[in-house]
Amino acid sequence: TFEVVPFFFFLFGPPPLYRNDDASTAKITIPFNFCFYGTSFNELYINNNGNISFDGPQPNYRPDSLPTTDFMALAAFWADVDTRNFNSGVVYYKIEPTYMIVTWDSVGYYNTHADKKNSFQLIITDGLDSTYLSAGKNVGFRYGNMEWTTGDIGGINGFSILTTQATVGANKSDSINFVQFGRFGKAGSDYDGPYAGPDGVSWLN
């Protein structure tokens, strides 16, 4: 019941798979109100680079530490996702009356690498639906096998060599309402908190 996310095909890959680097969707309307730090939204953008945003498309491939005033987003794994390699998976989504799921399924990294792949998922709900999240919760991040953190800009062989690390968290772009779960830049499963690091990406598995 999932569909491939329809990224801007006239700039990037054509349907049906919409393979791309740094693409975003047009504005997507969801059939429920999603409460994000006290503000309700029913429109959003899905971005190939591991996040959804609410105030416009977000093609940025260099993850920032949170908070940032640049954009309002939920980042399940904000990193330089690149699905142009035919061995990479692509991004899927499903919208139901009370929830939306976006799945980055075995995706590669820039520049067209697929020797390592990441699988992760972002769920948002109306806060009442308990199909996938417990009652009262409206955001979920889920992870399968996570093998890379950084594209070739700031990284080598899928891991950080500078300060470019994947970011996991939420940001309302007001420098007040945010959460950062971690910044991931290396292999392994070690984790020392949201603002130390870099953390090992396998901690998310």
Side-chain angles (χ1 to χ4, degrees):
T1 60
F2 281 78
E3 299 178 14
V4 178
V5 173
F7 293 108
F8 287 136
F9 67 88
F10 54 87
L11 291 177
F12 300 97
L17 295 181
Y18 296 93
R19 294 186 178 278
N20 75 90
D21 175 51
D22 302 334
S24 299
T25 63
K27 185 185 296 181
I28 294 173
T29 299
I30 55 177
F32 59 91
N33 288 324
F34 171 67
C35 182
F36 188 49
Y37 288 114
T39 302
S40 290
F41 293 92
N42 59 14
E43 295 178 335
L44 54 83
Y45 302 82
I46 299 174
N47 305 301
N48 196 60
N49 286 333
N51 60 75
I52 64 173
S53 53
F54 301 97
D55 48 358
Q58 178 47 251
N60 194 342
Y61 57 87
R62 289 194 176 191
D64 294 323
S65 181
L66 303 179
T68 175
T69 58
D70 291 342
F71 70 110
M72 192 182 307
L74 285 165
F77 194 76
W78 179 14
D80 201 354
V81 176
D82 186 339
T83 62
R84 293 175 295 172
N85 188 312
F86 289 153
N87 290 318
S88 169
V90 295
V91 187
Y92 299 87
Y93 77 137
K94 175 167 67 170
I95 297 176
E96 297 291 346
T98 54
Y99 65 86
M100 181 184 80
I101 304 175
V102 186
T103 303
W104 287 260
D105 184 21
S106 298
V107 294
Y109 60 98
Y110 184 83
N111 185 7
T112 65
H113 298 295
D115 59 310
K116 301 176 181 71
K117 302 174 188 177
N118 286 346
S119 293
F120 56 97
Q121 190 174 74
L122 185 156
I123 303 169
I124 61 171
T125 78
D126 62 358
L128 301 174
D129 189 290
S130 58
T131 305
Y132 295 100
L133 305 177
S134 58
K137 309 295 184 184
N138 70 345
V139 177
F141 297 160
R142 292 180 171 183
Y143 300 90
N145 198 39
M146 302 292 287
E147 298 180 336
W148 64 266
T149 68
T150 312
D152 288 353
I153 299 176
I156 187 170
N157 295 326
F159 299 106
S160 176
I161 55 173
L162 299 172
T163 59
T164 305
Q165 301 163 26
T167 300
V168 175
N171 181 69
K172 199 180 178 184
S173 74
D174 59 4
S175 298
I176 299 172
N177 296 289
F178 68 94
V179 61
Q180 180 167 285
F181 295 108
R183 301 204 73 205
F184 299 86
K186 63 182 181 180
S189 58
D190 59 307
Y191 176 79
D192 52 12
Y195 288 96
D199 297 308
V201 70
S202 294
W203 181 79
L204 294 168
N205 285 9

